[in-house]
Amino acid sequence: MGEKGTVRIRGGNSLDYYAALASKLVIVSAERIVSEEELRGDSKPNAIPGIAVNVIVEAPYGAHPTALFGHYDNDPWWFKDYIAASRDEEKFNKWLKEWVLDVVSHEGYLKKLGAKRLEQIRSDPVKGYNPFIQRRMDKLGEVN
Amino acid sequence: MIKYERQEMMAIAGARLLKNDEVVIVGTGLPLVSVLLAKCTHAPDLIMVMEAGMYDSNPEALPFCVCDPRGAYRNPWMATAFELMGQLLQNRKIDVGFLGGAQIDCYGNLNSTCIGPYALPDKRFEGSGGACDIAIMAKKTILIMAHERKRFVEQLDFLTSPGWKVSRYPDGLPIFREQLGMWGGPYAVVSTMGVMKFAEGTHEMYLDGYFADLGVTPDQVKENTGFTIDVSRATPINPPTDNELRILRTKVDPEGIFMKY
């Protein structure tokens, strides 16, 4: 996104533009903040104008565990863990402590995920997703 | 004869109901598999759209939900959800809505919200999403779900998406959908046992075909349906062809995301 709030979204922006206009406070978490100049020239992929945005945050992997077109795919390891943990309260509280409370910050969360894991969900920039990722949770191997 | 699974027969029966010139809005899961199978066999020009805004998707890999990046690869145009659901759908540009559900009644009314009372449900599902809008404004709908007595019911626990005949608010009077200004309506239901359609005039569900090759009989369909269903017109459905199975297994869902091989 641009430093003054222009938001570029690839792979479809669904309801984001309408949600931004309908909200009193709009916070945009972007993969990367660039100069507005970089986003001029091709206005088509720009989804939200700066006047609809109040706060901008640069947070790489900010959409994790879900996918961001052209950057990273859905993280099947995360979903497998979460689904298993959400089946009972004790397991869920343990998961909550490990993955939310104890990581302290977004940086801490990414550090806990680890470079290998982030590398494994990286998307093909042209296709927009990772064509090699194992998506069957019951057949999911270890991160290696 | 190749052995095959029941969910493969369902996906194939669903694909056979689609035509080459149709614009189809599709839900996650089996509907996606059916539509892609149709596109890879008899309906290559079929236009598949998904409610998040994907228009004319020709994915190389099966999307696992309706906003998977796989559905956005090389699309000729992308809509916002508002343009797709509010404008294309409302302007009668969508020929077929292809939906799943948890409960259905004899008029094709669909529940994908909860089992048990709404305020204190035994099971809570994801709810309508775009399903209610699609059920009201697609030119016809195809529904796909498991065939059990607790799912094919006399009375829904919750009405998510209207079929042919609903209760009028607030007096509860039974009323046909066209009296409420809705067009379209359910065209077929694909279940684990066969394909149901809706009688002209009464719009009540009847058994059109059954998966005889999987051992299903019309009597079994009756036993597994919670309301009275006419099975007198039913004919056996042809088992999958080798070509349909090959394309399903090697091209549409080779990973077994929904088919769970």
Side-chain angles (χ1 to χ4, degrees), chain A residues 11-15 17-18 44 67-70 72-74 79 123 126-131 133-139, chain B residues 51-54 59-65 68-70 72-73 77-83 87 255-257 259-261:
Chain A
N13 86 70
S14 190
L15 287 168
Y17 166 73
Y18 305 100
K44 193 81 183 32
L68 183 63
F69 187 94
Y72 42 91
D73 212 326
N74 290 299
F79 284 102
S123 288
V126 178
K127 287 185 191 289
Y129 55 91
N130 182 326
I133 206 161
Q134 169 61 261
R135 296 188 288 153
R136 277 279 294 273
M137 288 180 212
D138 55 338
K139 292 189 174 173
Chain B
E51 67 187 65
M54 299 7 180
E60 283 186 343
L62 181 67
F64 98 118
C65 70
D68 190 315
R70 285 157 187 79
Y73 175 57
W77 180 68
M78 288 288 285
T80 63
F82 182 76
E83 286 164 342
Q87 298 173 341
E255 298 160 78
I257 306 267
M259 291 294 106
K260 304 280 182 211
Y261 307 120

Side-chain angles (χ1 to χ4, degrees), chain B residues 13-257:
Chain B
R16 288 175 185 167
L17 295 170
L18 300 165
K19 299 191 183 77
N20 193 33
D21 57 354
E22 286 174 328
V23 182
V24 184
I25 189 162
V26 63
T28 298
L30 273 175
L32 250 172
V33 177
S34 278
V35 173
L36 288 173
L37 179 60
K39 277 181 75 68
C40 292
T41 52
H42 63 281
D45 302 325
L46 180 156
I47 293 177
M48 176 172 94
V49 301
M50 295 185 255
E51 67 187 65
M54 299 7 180
Y55 173 84
D56 198 7
S57 299
N58 288 280
E60 283 186 343
L62 181 67
F64 98 118
C65 70
V66 292
C67 43
D68 190 315
R70 285 157 187 79
Y73 175 57
R74 289 177 63 79
N75 295 13
W77 180 68
M78 288 288 285
T80 63
F82 182 76
E83 286 164 342
L84 199 69
M85 300 296 289
Q87 298 173 341
L88 291 189
L89 187 59
Q90 208 157 62
N91 281 298
R92 307 193 190 201
K93 300 287 187 201
I94 309 291
D95 298 311
V96 184
F98 204 140
L99 304 169
Q103 255 185 356
I104 193 166
D105 71 11
C106 78
Y107 295 109
N109 293 306
L110 210 56
N111 172 10
S112 54
T113 301
C114 61
I115 299 294
Y118 181 74
L120 204 66
D122 301 324
K123 271 206 174 120
R124 182 65 165 89
F125 306 111
E126 54 271 48
S128 168
C132 177
D133 307 64
I134 293 168
I136 290 170
M137 292 182 285
K139 289 186 202 162
K140 64 182 182 189
T141 49
I142 297 172
L143 315 168
I144 194 161
M145 55 191 289
H147 207 133
E148 299 163 20
R149 266 191 100 83
K150 62 176 186 189
R151 291 177 179 272
F152 282 63
V153 294
E154 193 82 46
Q155 180 71 45
L156 301 179
D157 290 353
F158 187 90
L159 172 60
T160 313
S161 310
W164 287 110
K165 199 178 190 181
V166 294
S167 302
R168 187 172 69 184
Y169 182 81
D171 60 14
L173 203 76
I175 187 171
F176 282 107
R177 63 182 284 133
E178 57 263 34
Q179 295 172 270
L180 291 163
M182 301 176 194
W183 56 87
Y187 164 67
V189 184
V190 179
S191 80
T192 37
M193 306 190 89
V195 175
M196 275 59 60
K197 289 191 176 163
F198 296 86
E200 287 216 18
T202 65
H203 294 300
E204 282 172 16
M205 193 190 294
Y206 69 90
L207 183 67
D208 183 63
Y210 52 98
F211 302 144
D213 193 51
L214 287 166
V216 176
T217 64
D219 277 344
Q220 281 178 6
V221 173
K222 267 185 167 170
E223 284 161 29
N224 285 282
T225 304
F227 48 83
T228 310
I229 186 163
D230 172 19
V231 299
S232 64
R233 283 174 265 185
T235 53
I237 289 172
N238 288 334
T241 65
D242 291 355
N243 191 48
E244 284 168 329
L245 276 179
R246 183 177 55 80
I247 290 173
L248 179 60
R249 291 172 180 179
T250 61
K251 209 169 166 194
V252 175
D253 190 9
E255 298 160 78
I257 306 267

Side-chain angles (χ1 to χ4, degrees), chain A residues 20-35:
Chain A
L21 288 191
S23 303
K24 287 181 183 152
L25 173 63
V26 175
I27 304 170
V28 177
S29 166
E31 231 15 56
R32 208 151 58 86
I33 295 175
V34 299
S35 72

